[in-house]
Amino acid sequence: GEPQSRELTAAELADPAVTVTPRYWVPAAEVEARLAGKWQRPWLLGFRDITNATNERTAIFSLLPRVGVGHKAPLILLELDTPAIRASLFLSVVNSLVLDFILRQKIGGTSFAFFILKQLPVLPPSAFSADDLRFIVPRVVELVYTAWDMRAFAADVWAEADDAMRQAIWQRWRACHEAVAGDEQTVPPPFRWDDERRAQIRAELDARIARRYGLSRDELRYILDPADVYGDGFPGETFRVLKANELRQYGEYRTRRLVLAAWDGEEAWDGGTGV
């Protein structure tokens, strides 16, 4: 019968040479014909159409190789000259808890359509400082670049990066691989897939982006779990399924702990100014 789709195993995620085998195929020439004059990068930015406000996460955006996609994986074609670094910022914002919370107020069915996407208040590049770029972009590279088929994205970021950002990318690679050596004059090999480390990175990004949206710590606490602010009897919910899944898997609401710890860590680092 027809092959069934499945999730990659932990061993497959840890192997940078593993690539996904699609169920359906289209000619490569057709992909190039559709993208001609619209997108020139060797990678794509897309999102999942089928979703729900009650899922663990509603907004699921990702970078992927330059391949054909179906209509349930719509593509976002940024302006042709958009730097890869700006695409990294965009990806970090649209995958943030804050934007996911906003999307949940708008989506009414199971389809995340373009007319909904266009209503979302995505932070512009001007909302981010040079320090934000050095913080966010290397983390995005680590989350995305875990296999050789995404090296083109890492190479594009590397080509645009200054010395400080390149150094930060290598520092993260060495920490991820627990290595001390590496040729820092070129793009590193793929990052190691490490679930615990990835959860920490996502929390750090969520905390930084929540600050750029202008949230207070209590507002972030509400987004994570209204009951944490108003008590268990509060009738509203935000990420109930995420919370339930993590309580079952980890024995705690891990995302809440990591995000608030990242928020508090930033506040301690910048002297308690909250900036």
Side-chain angles (χ1 to χ4, degrees):
E2 186 174 300
Q4 298 298 308
S5 61
R6 63 173 177 83
E7 299 287 336
L8 291 180
T9 66
E12 289 168 333
L13 290 170
D15 185 348
V18 168
T19 58
V20 174
T21 301
R23 184 183 298 183
Y24 305 109
W25 299 73
V26 295
E30 185 66 21
V31 175
E32 295 307 317
R34 295 293 184 95
L35 293 174
K38 299 175 182 177
W39 187 250
Q40 58 192 8
R41 297 286 187 178
W43 41 271
L44 299 170
L45 172 58
F47 63 98
R48 180 172 174 168
D49 176 286
I50 298 300
T51 188
N52 199 294
T54 58
N55 286 357
E56 182 171 303
R57 292 296 289 263
T58 302
I60 301 175
F61 291 77
S62 183
L63 296 182
L64 60 153
R66 190 178 173 105
V67 296
V69 298
H71 68 291
K72 292 304 179 182
L75 298 178
I76 297 175
L77 304 181
L78 305 173
E79 294 181 355
L80 274 175
D81 58 351
T82 299
I85 285 176
R86 285 198 173 185
S88 301
L89 288 177
F90 179 86
L91 184 64
S92 70
V93 172
V94 292
N95 271 330
S96 69
L97 280 167
V98 175
L99 193 104
D100 203 301
F101 171 78
I102 296 168
L103 173 59
R104 286 167 184 241
Q105 316 312 308
K106 292 183 173 291
I107 197 163
T110 59
S111 178
F112 181 7
F114 273 112
F115 81 92
I116 299 174
L117 174 67
K118 291 177 180 179
Q119 297 178 49
L120 298 178
V122 178
L123 291 174
S126 59
F128 299 96
S129 66
D131 177 69
D132 289 328
L133 266 63
R134 287 190 296 269
F135 183 91
I136 293 171
V137 176
R139 285 169 169 78
V140 171
V141 171
E142 179 170 348
L143 290 174
V144 170
Y145 179 38
T146 58
W148 287 109
D149 59 4
M150 289 309 301
R151 187 182 188 281
F153 165 71
D156 282 351
V157 171
W158 184 267
E160 298 168 10
D162 59 17
D163 288 342
M165 185 175 291
R166 289 180 176 183
Q167 185 180 21
I169 290 171
W170 264 105
Q171 286 174 342
R172 298 199 64 81
W173 188 89
R174 288 196 299 270
C176 179
H177 288 266
E178 300 178 350
V180 295
D183 179 7
E184 296 195 12
Q185 303 306 309
T186 187
V187 184
F191 285 79
R192 180 172 61 94
W193 184 285
D194 182 320
D195 183 66
E196 292 291 329
R197 185 174 170 86
R198 292 175 66 83
Q200 179 64 43
I201 295 169
R202 291 195 301 268
E204 291 167 355
L205 290 173
D206 277 323
R208 177 63 64 102
I209 290 164
R211 287 183 181 278
R212 295 301 166 260
Y213 269 106
L215 268 62
S216 68
R217 189 180 190 278
D218 281 344
E219 288 168 336
L220 181 57
R221 286 174 59 213
Y222 176 87
I223 285 176
L224 287 161
D225 185 8
D228 187 37
V229 179
Y230 293 107
D232 291 336
F234 187 73
E237 62 181 38
T238 52
F239 291 93
R240 174 180 56 82
V241 174
L242 174 63
K243 177 181 177 181
N245 288 347
E246 291 192 346
L247 286 171
R248 182 171 59 252
Q249 185 172 357
Y250 307 114
E252 64 162 340
Y253 186 5
R254 185 178 71 168
T255 293
R256 179 178 63 189
R257 174 175 61 81
L258 291 176
V259 171
L260 292 178
W263 175 283
D264 294 340
E266 281 203 20
E267 198 158 78
W269 179 81
D270 64 27
T273 63
V275 176

